[in-house]
Amino acid sequence: MTDAEWAEVRSAMPVPAWLLKRGGCPEAYCHREMLDAVRYLVDNGVKWMALPVDFPYWRAVYDFFRRWRTCDYVRELHERLRRTARGCQGRNAEPSAGIIDSQSVDASETVGEDSRGYDGGKSRDGRKRHILTDTEGLLLEVTVTTADVHGSKAAPALLETFMDRPGRLLKLLWVDSAYQGPALAKAFTRHGVRIEVVRRSDGQRGFVVLARRRVVERTLSWLSRSRRLNRDHERRPDHHQQMVWWSAVIRLSRRMAGDAPRWPEKRPERQTPAPAQA
């Protein structure tokens, strides 16, 4: 992380229990070093044991990752960053509209048969991540299932998980034609959420940009930039879900700090000066 990113992340960091006098031991490593190590792993797709020696010992980083998974700290960090980002744009902290979509990814041999499936439509043998975003493409909720689970079957649980938290204002969802069925309609009705199905026009062929749906599809492409998410290597589905949240934090913190990676020609200060000619 750059100093600008760390300033944004530090202000939104969850407070550990030991600082609140609720038990536990003080951290042995700097939080910035731990966050950098996990972000490096998610962004570059390396193994835990292959973390560079510049970071803390890999086992300590993995234990940090597991503690944050248990306490759901990375979701809390992303939600705080998301509310701040929306506030800077003059929007309400909580969105009133969102978009749902899913993406199937192949699984490696480390994923057991009990947590993987085959998606015949996408020809993927692995898992499927279902996401809910706001109209800016910021992640609101994610759930991970086997790849053979249809989007309409996973969407009710996705919506329930998001709406069960206090302060939600979601009233409208844009979906594609696959998100239909009595279970999904019942979940929408329970929370007073209205849906609008975005369909392709009759006779359209090839690639077509669809209103609203392009936003969530863009978010899925953002997530795929993290190499750890290009293929599922996690033995546990909840670990894959945490990787999605970490990827979203990386993207959002860079966006808020205005420090997105750029090629050298767009950063003159990083260019190597040309050798002087005789």
Side-chain angles (χ1 to χ4, degrees):
M1 280 184 291
T2 62
D3 291 340
E5 275 189 84
W6 174 239
E8 298 289 347
V9 172
R10 185 178 184 180
S11 62
M13 282 275 289
V15 181
W18 64 272
L19 282 178
L20 299 176
K21 310 301 182 182
R22 294 196 310 225
C25 299
E27 298 283 353
Y29 294 93
C30 171
H31 272 167
R32 183 173 181 176
E33 291 182 352
M34 286 297 193
L35 290 175
D36 275 336
V38 177
R39 287 162 58 105
Y40 181 91
L41 180 135
V42 175
D43 204 23
N44 293 276
V46 302
K47 300 178 180 179
W48 286 102
M49 296 180 66
L51 281 173
V53 296
D54 299 333
F55 296 118
Y57 181 53
W58 75 268
R59 186 72 200 190
V61 178
Y62 180 65
D63 289 341
F64 174 84
F65 171 84
R66 290 198 308 169
R67 287 196 300 274
W68 274 49
R69 178 211 67 203
T70 302
C71 300
D72 214 10
Y73 281 157
V74 65
R75 180 205 300 266
E76 182 179 346
L77 173 60
H78 184 272
E79 286 199 346
R80 292 182 180 183
L81 290 173
R82 172 176 57 81
R83 293 190 183 106
T84 302
R86 289 179 59 88
C88 292
Q89 296 175 348
R91 294 170 172 263
N92 291 331
E94 287 294 331
S96 60
I99 312 103
I100 291 180
D101 205 351
S102 62
Q103 181 183 46
S104 298
V105 291
D106 288 321
S108 64
E109 70 281 356
T110 57
V111 178
E113 294 184 359
D114 58 336
S115 63
R116 68 191 297 163
Y118 184 75
D119 182 357
K122 303 295 184 180
S123 298
R124 299 286 187 181
D125 179 18
R127 293 187 179 131
K128 182 181 291 185
R129 42 184 178 250
H130 311 262
I131 68 169
L132 168 65
T133 71
D134 66 3
T135 54
E136 290 292 319
L138 302 180
L139 188 64
L140 299 178
E141 191 57 61
V142 58
T143 185
V144 177
T145 65
T146 56
D148 55 348
V149 175
H150 196 267
S152 61
K153 302 295 183 182
L158 179 70
L159 182 63
E160 293 286 352
T161 303
F162 178 73
M163 296 298 292
D164 281 348
R165 295 176 176 266
R168 301 307 191 193
L169 304 175
L170 196 63
K171 296 298 180 184
L172 174 63
L173 279 176
W174 286 283
V175 299
D176 62 21
S177 56
Y179 289 89
Q180 300 181 32
L184 188 56
K186 183 178 180 181
F188 287 148
T189 304
R190 184 183 308 114
H191 295 287
V193 177
R194 181 170 57 90
I195 65 170
E196 288 187 9
V197 179
V198 182
R199 293 186 174 89
R200 293 164 60 98
S201 301
D202 295 338
Q204 284 184 338
R205 294 180 178 274
F207 174 76
V208 179
V209 177
L210 299 178
R212 301 299 181 182
R213 280 186 54 192
R214 69 173 182 84
V215 174
V216 68
E217 291 168 356
R218 182 185 60 185
T219 300
L220 290 172
S221 70
W222 286 344
L223 296 175
S224 297
R225 291 184 180 181
S226 297
R227 294 186 178 180
R228 189 79 181 194
L229 298 179
N230 286 341
R231 187 177 177 87
D232 192 357
H233 301 278
E234 313 307 323
R235 297 181 185 273
R236 299 172 44 155
D238 58 340
H239 279 197
H240 184 88
Q241 181 177 341
Q242 291 296 302
M243 293 296 178
V244 175
W245 282 113
W246 278 105
S247 177
V249 166
I250 294 172
R251 173 71 187 182
L252 184 53
S253 64
R254 286 176 177 171
R255 172 179 169 178
M256 295 176 65
D259 196 55
R262 299 181 185 275
W263 295 106
E265 58 268 20
K266 295 186 178 181
R267 286 191 172 181
E269 71 277 4
R270 293 192 178 185
Q271 288 185 345
T272 303
Q277 297 183 356

